[in-house]
Amino acid sequence: MVDALDSAIARAGKPSVIRLDNGTEFTSLVFETWAFARRIQLDFIPPGKPTENGFIESFNGKLRDECLSMSCFTSLEDARSRIEAWRLDYNKTRPRSGLRGLAPAQFLASLLKEKACSG
């Protein structure tokens, strides 16, 4: 998790706050230490309140409905491969109304271009 976040920060910059659910991957000492070292505030939603983190709940539903429930994985490698293919499609080609009608990768590229042009 922290490696993926470090990679995202290297590309897009460091957030001051990350909003999270209370999953074990986010409440571990390793993750808390990582955030503290980078001076990133962790903002946990109240337990049992998934509506307070609608973006991730929407993502989880799409992943479950479009990938996990539609697949019969034959091995761990098969699962990794199919989930990664779905993730790449989701992040690179699907436009989002909340991202000016762009796919996330396109939106990030436009933000980086705006950032480069402004200073």
Side-chain angles (χ1 to χ4, degrees):
M1 177 63 66
V2 296
D3 290 342
L5 288 170
D6 278 334
S7 178
I9 288 169
R11 289 189 318 269
K14 182 183 80 147
S16 57
V17 178
I18 299 176
R19 187 164 179 83
L20 308 158
D21 65 19
N22 292 281
T24 56
E25 67 275 23
F26 302 126
T27 57
S28 70
L29 182 58
V30 170
F31 190 73
E32 290 181 19
T33 302
W34 172 87
F36 181 79
R38 285 154 185 79
R39 297 183 178 166
I40 298 173
Q41 178 185 345
L42 301 179
D43 179 22
F44 291 95
I45 64 170
K49 301 282 185 178
T51 56
E52 292 194 21
N53 200 8
F55 293 114
I56 195 62
E57 293 302 323
S58 174
F59 170 82
N60 287 344
K62 286 181 173 86
L63 173 62
R64 183 179 50 256
D65 293 345
E66 298 173 7
C67 183
L68 302 178
S69 295
M70 302 297 288
S71 302
C72 182
F73 304 115
T74 59
S75 66
L76 181 57
E77 186 54 40
D78 180 41
R80 286 180 176 150
S81 176
R82 290 185 197 211
I83 293 167
E84 178 65 2
W86 182 89
R87 184 191 69 81
L88 290 172
D89 175 65
Y90 185 83
N91 284 329
K92 293 185 183 253
T93 63
R94 292 186 187 194
R96 309 288 200 293
S97 60
L99 301 178
R100 296 185 246 161
L102 301 172
Q106 295 168 313
F107 183 75
L108 176 59
S110 73
L111 288 180
L112 294 174
K113 184 177 179 182
E114 288 172 13
K115 186 177 176 181
C117 290
S118 66

